[in-house]
Amino acid sequence: MTETLHIELDRLGEWTEERPFTVEAEHVRAYAAATNDVHPLHAAGMVAPPLFAGVPIGEHIDRVVDRLIAREDRRWGLHSGQDVRIYRPIVPGMVLRTQAAPVGVHPGFSGTTVVIKTRTRDVHGDLLNETYVTLFFRRRFRGEAAGERAPDHRTPPEAKAAAKTAGRIVAVSQVLDADQTYRYAEASGDRNPIHLDPDFARSVGLPGIIVHGMCTMAFAGRALIEHACQNDPSRLVRLAVRFARPVLPGQTITTHLWPAGEEAGRRVYGFETLNPAGKAVIQDGLAEVAG
């Protein structure tokens, strides 16, 4: 029987206090290097990569989990999904105002899904990006489901089938370095021991150190920018994924992307990322491209 997850349900909808986050060019360059991103704007620290949006919200996610989940249960959580909408790029010199709130708790047969919403504004209060972060805890909450679910980002299966028939599926292979998790932890601030400590990772049922979900997502994002955005990162306005399997350092991953129609004047792409065995590590990938 799945063990019980202890949740402070009355914390739902409670936003963290705003904290300023100053964007520095060196930090942008470090994040690009940690995700093997060689786009000239990112590598030079002129514009932050789209997934840099996850860096300033990291401390808020931790604060939400600290308030919501009993300490003894936190080790059983995994990052299971991310859906970021980008309204304006982040550039060095900006002072960001960030917040997060738990917005949903949904128990299932094998564990519990927790949904967290974040928002990042500039000093004028203009919204730069907002994100739904989904965590899955391998423990069962015995109460009723409460709050909202993350938005559905599945693309129509017939779109992939049509793209395959027309020969329009693009495949991009990328290699994750042996030291990727250590570099990403430094650049992102995410030092969860499942990414850094092999013994701890095995103690919670993992095969060893696993790559950060956001790092894997950043690799997929690079493939989308190159092949769906004509290498213009400002055109990527939404990126959403479900993390299906762990990725291990040193593995080669392959992202398959295909056109999946239009939404509100934006081109939509579906994508998935596979491990060397051909198993999906990212499923239900969705990208929206402006212009």
Side-chain angles (χ1 to χ4, degrees), residues 2 28 40 45 54 63 78 104 140 180 203 207 223 249:
T2 304
V28 170
R63 197 168 298 118
L78 291 172
R140 178 77 183 274
Q180 201 87 53
S203 78

Side-chain angles (χ1 to χ4, degrees), residues 5 31 42 161 257:
L5 179 69
Y31 187 88
H42 303 159
L257 59 121

